């Protein structure tokens, strides 16, 4: 069985206290690897390495940093098959999905920020004849990047890439449920020519090493993606030392279908936005709100499509959905389906575990729930969606805004004015009109309300990972 290691100062090392935890393969339910359960001593070593490396990395020319990051992107592409296989075994997602989305996007993240940093310029304000101000943006120092299990390398690299591009050194922790591709990344960072200590990767539990990274006085900014409950702890901990913090948290996203939509497109894409990656994408539309006049027609066509979804072995190219990430998560999803029934919901499709080794669950569609019940208010983060009729545009907006979350929303309509009107009224950081999960990496990414604070993506991330300093010159 594979025993993975931490990556500190450019070397793979065992955890100082020799503690390991089992990593389970969701597709089989069996132990697949052992991962370090890192402690303060490991963190202290990573901090020492990062401190040493900072003077080299932050002083390196932007062109040189950019070249190293482009090389890293190339190497990820070159290793696509191996990485996708590891990601799929680690997470339970279909191999084809890891190959088509997760790993290519990780490489794109490095490539995007390798280019973005070259094009990033300081702002200047000229008060003619009086003064000139310019804002210098310096790297912060050592930053902590903590990521979840649903899109392992994709989200890990989404944080690391802008932090490194800006000249910071990174101490990163992937989820303990999906450590494999982050583990592999160390080797490629070395091959790409990244100086030792610039990127350090520690494995282990959130409450242990995750919390320690946030608490350590050496980490000056924390970029966190995960659940809202954890985000609250991370935010409160970071606040004690006035650290910069970016929190990308949970969601309960509405998918609003108006009667004037292109129904073929709306049905086809809604199946994807409900069940892609087993519904384990923070941006999945888990509450489908449908205008009353087309409710029956949408329901009929949506259910026909759901029946075609094959759930099975992540390695099988025919599987549209693979396994859920863990046994605990499977229990959580199942408990919500039971709750939905207690709350008066009717299961229209699915609603059961699949009787095979591993953590498989049927794609599940539920109707006849109140908009304010727990099933419609709390994040399930699995293959479960609810169908909810609405009467008017105002109703749709009210239902959409009725949860504590505000991450993303999809709107289906061919009425241009309505598209803008509803977009502006819905409290979500990301709005898709007649599409879903289409991303331009230059745009600000993140949520409103309890879905987080701060925005990632484009120059927002480069600004987050830098310290602005205004210089004023009197003319
Ligand atoms: P989680 O909050 O349990 O864990 C996320 C990461 O935080 C893991 O690496 C974990 O080990 C670590 N962690 C746990 N406790 C910690 C602590 N006290 N201090 C520091 N780190 C700690 O989340 P998860 O179950 O891994 O991921 C699922 C959640 O992530 C869902 O709520 C989902 O919506 C959210 N998510 C949000 C986005 C987004 O961009 N908004 C993207 C993906 C996932």
């Amino acid at each position: 069985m594979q025993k993975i290691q931490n990556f500190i100062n450019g070397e793979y090392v065992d955890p100082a206290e020799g503690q390991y935890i089992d990593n389970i393969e969701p597709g089989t339910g069996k132990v697949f690897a052992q991962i370090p359960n890192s402690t303060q001593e490991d963190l202290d070593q990573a901090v020492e390495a990062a401190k040493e490396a900072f003077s080299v990395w932050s002083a390196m020319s932007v062109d040189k940093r950019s070249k190293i990051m482009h090389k890293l992107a190339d190497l990820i592409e070159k290793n696509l098959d191996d990485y996708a296989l590891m990601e799929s075994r680690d997470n339970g997602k279909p191999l084809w999905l890891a190959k088509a989305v997760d790993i290519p996007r990780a490489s794109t993240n490095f490539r995007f920020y390798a280019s973005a940093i070259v094009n990033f310029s300081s702002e200047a304000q000229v008060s003619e004849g009086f003064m000139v101000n310019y804002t210098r943006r310096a790297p912060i120092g050592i930053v902590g990047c903590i990521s979840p299990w649903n899109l392992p390398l994709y989200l890990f690299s989404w944080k690391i890439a802008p932090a490194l591009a800006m000249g910071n050194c990174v101490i990163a922790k992937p989820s303990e449920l999906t450590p494999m591709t982050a583990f592999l990344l160390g080797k490629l960072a070395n091959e790409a020519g990244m100086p030792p200590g610039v990127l350090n990767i520690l494995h282990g539990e959130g409450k242990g090493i995750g919390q320690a990274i946030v608490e350590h006085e050496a980490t000056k900014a924390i970029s966190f993606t995960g659940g809202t409950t954890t985000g609250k702890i991370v935010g409160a901990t970071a606040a004690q030392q006035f650290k910069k913090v970016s929190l990308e948290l949970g969601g309960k996203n509405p998918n609003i279908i108006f009667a004037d939509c292109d129904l073929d497109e709306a049905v086809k894409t809604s199946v994807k936005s409900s069940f892609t990656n087993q519904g384990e994408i923070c941006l999945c539309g888990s509450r489908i709100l449908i205008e009353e006049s087309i409710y029956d027609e949408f329901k009929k066509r949506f259910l026909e499509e759901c029946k075609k979804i094959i759930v099975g072995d992540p390695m099988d190219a025919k599987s549209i959905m693979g396994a859920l990430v863990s046994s605990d998560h499977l229990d959580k999803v199942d408990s919500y389906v039971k709750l939905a029934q207690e709350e008066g919901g009717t299961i229209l499709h699915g609603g059961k575990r699949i009787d095979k080794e591993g953590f498989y669950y049927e794609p599940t569609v539920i109707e006849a729930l109140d908009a304010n019940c727990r099933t419609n208010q709390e994040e399930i983060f699995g293959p479960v969606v609810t169908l909810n009729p609405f009467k008017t545009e105002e109703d749709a907006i009210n239902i959409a805004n009725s949860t504590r979350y505000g991450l993303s929303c999809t709107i289906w309509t061919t009425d241009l004015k309505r598209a803008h009107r509803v977009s502006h009224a819905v409290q979500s950081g990301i709005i898709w009109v007649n599409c879903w999960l289409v991303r331009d990496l230059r745009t600000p990414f993140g949520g409103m309300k309890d879905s987080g604070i701060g925005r990632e993506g484009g120059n927002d991330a480069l600004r987050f990972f830098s310290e602005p300093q205004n210089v004023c010159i009197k003319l």
Side-chain angles (χ1 to χ4, degrees):
M1 185 191 313
Q2 189 166 9
K3 220 175 200 182
I4 74 172
Q5 292 173 299
N6 287 327
F7 182 71
I8 300 176
N9 205 21
E11 287 176 7
Y12 282 109
V13 290
D14 292 330
E17 291 186 16
Q19 294 174 18
Y20 288 85
I21 41 183
D22 286 342
N23 180 27
I24 313 280
E25 181 171 359
T28 63
K30 300 207 164 62
V31 178
F32 153 58
Q34 288 206 304
I35 75 161
N37 198 8
S38 307
T39 54
Q40 188 71 36
E41 212 176 318
D42 302 299
L43 177 57
D44 289 341
Q45 285 173 22
V47 165
E48 277 320 300
K51 273 185 183 160
E52 188 99 343
F54 182 66
S55 54
V56 178
W57 187 244
S58 60
M60 193 180 272
S61 74
V62 164
D63 266 0
K64 211 164 162 194
R65 279 208 301 264
S66 168
K67 279 202 179 84
I68 292 172
M69 290 181 59
H70 273 299
K71 181 86 192 288
L72 183 53
D74 292 343
L75 289 168
I76 294 172
E77 273 163 29
K78 225 169 117 187
N79 287 276
L80 171 77
D81 288 345
D82 292 347
Y83 270 59
L85 180 64
M86 278 302 163
E87 190 99 324
S88 166
R89 290 192 67 187
D90 215 12
N91 169 276
K93 69 181 68 207
L95 179 59
W96 62 263
L97 185 64
K99 257 189 203 174
V101 177
D102 291 60
I103 308 304
R105 173 60 193 273
S107 147
T108 301
N109 287 341
F110 282 110
R111 203 175 291 297
F112 176 84
Y113 279 107
S115 301
I117 193 63
V118 176
N119 293 294
F120 189 57
S121 55
S122 310
E123 306 101 86
Q125 292 81 24
V126 183
S127 306
E128 290 298 341
F130 181 50
M131 63 177 164
V132 174
N133 282 277
Y134 67 88
T135 308
R136 176 179 164 257
R137 288 198 169 263
I140 302 172
I142 303 174
V143 300
C145 297
I146 300 177
S147 58
W149 48 259
N150 62 322
L151 300 164
L153 194 63
Y154 175 139
L155 290 174
F156 194 67
S157 53
W158 181 232
K159 304 181 164 308
I160 292 173
L164 293 175
M166 200 66 229
N168 300 284
C169 289
V170 171
I171 298 180
K173 190 196 96 60
S175 167
E176 58 274 38
L177 297 179
T178 53
M180 286 314 249
T181 39
F183 163 65
L184 296 174
L185 192 66
K187 181 167 170 279
L188 297 193
N190 282 347
E191 264 180 60
M194 198 167 281
V198 170
L199 172 63
N200 303 278
I201 301 166
L202 300 179
H203 299 275
E205 287 168 350
K207 283 185 189 137
I209 192 63
Q211 178 77 18
I213 292 172
V214 183
E215 279 175 4
H216 203 295
E217 54 81 30
T219 53
K220 301 297 180 203
I222 301 294
S223 172
F224 171 86
T225 300
T228 294
T229 307
T230 319
K232 229 181 223 181
I233 300 169
V234 169
T237 310
Q240 300 304 310
Q241 295 173 47
F242 306 106
K243 290 185 188 189
K244 289 183 95 171
V245 64
S246 159
L247 302 172
E248 296 295 344
L249 310 176
K252 189 76 183 176
N253 310 310
N255 175 15
I256 310 175
I257 322 277
F258 285 102
D260 63 9
C261 73
D262 174 338
L263 197 56
D264 288 343
E265 260 318 301
V267 169
K268 196 174 85 190
T269 306
S270 294
V271 173
K272 290 192 182 143
S273 66
S274 302
F275 301 117
T276 300
N277 207 46
Q278 301 70 245
E280 295 168 335
I281 302 181
C282 54
L283 305 164
C284 277
S286 51
R287 293 181 295 147
I288 308 184
L289 319 186
I290 308 142
E291 192 164 350
E292 231 171 32
S293 58
I294 58 157
Y295 183 83
D296 289 338
E297 178 66 11
F298 178 89
K299 176 170 126 179
K300 183 169 115 314
R301 290 168 68 169
F302 183 71
L303 289 172
E304 274 164 15
E305 292 305 310
C306 290
K307 283 177 194 145
K308 296 180 192 159
I309 295 176
I310 299 168
V311 185
D313 183 352
M315 299 301 131
D316 188 337
K318 290 196 288 303
S319 301
I320 297 185
M321 275 171 48
L324 300 193
V325 74
S326 69
S327 161
D328 284 352
H329 194 53
L330 180 73
D331 289 345
K332 174 185 160 186
V333 168
D334 193 44
S335 74
Y336 269 104
V337 172
K338 293 204 166 79
L339 173 72
Q341 288 165 292
E342 285 162 24
E343 289 183 319
T346 307
I347 311 271
L348 298 178
H349 182 69
K352 290 190 306 297
R353 293 164 196 255
I354 292 174
D355 186 22
K356 78 194 226 80
E357 289 203 352
F359 314 130
Y360 296 89
Y361 206 84
E362 295 174 337
T364 299
V365 185
I366 307 171
E367 75 168 353
L369 285 161
D370 186 89
N372 295 317
C373 72
R374 283 183 57 203
T375 313
N376 260 332
Q377 290 287 317
E378 297 177 16
E379 187 186 42
I380 302 173
F381 209 52
V384 180
V385 289
T386 62
L387 302 188
N388 309 272
F390 68 82
K391 282 192 172 60
T392 64
E393 185 179 304
E394 202 187 345
D395 283 347
I397 294 165
N398 287 338
I399 300 170
N401 288 341
S402 69
T403 75
R404 63 194 284 224
Y405 297 108
L407 188 52
S408 71
C409 170
T410 307
I411 299 164
W412 292 93
T413 178
T414 48
D415 178 337
L416 183 63
K417 284 187 179 171
R418 167 182 277 160
H420 286 289
R421 214 166 43 230
V422 178
S423 296
H424 299 178
V426 170
Q427 297 154 346
S428 289
I430 302 147
I431 305 278
W432 280 295
V433 179
N434 299 329
C435 60
W436 176 72
L437 209 63
V438 185
R439 292 276 297 121
D440 179 328
L441 302 190
R442 291 169 298 184
T443 58
F445 176 90
M448 295 179 181
K449 294 155 70 178
D450 287 6
S451 291
I453 53 168
R455 290 292 182 273
E456 296 184 343
N459 286 344
D460 287 303
L462 294 175
R463 288 194 194 101
F464 174 76
F465 284 116
S466 60
E467 201 71 270
Q469 180 189 42
N470 190 64
V471 178
C472 173
I473 303 159
K474 191 163 184 318
L475 298 177

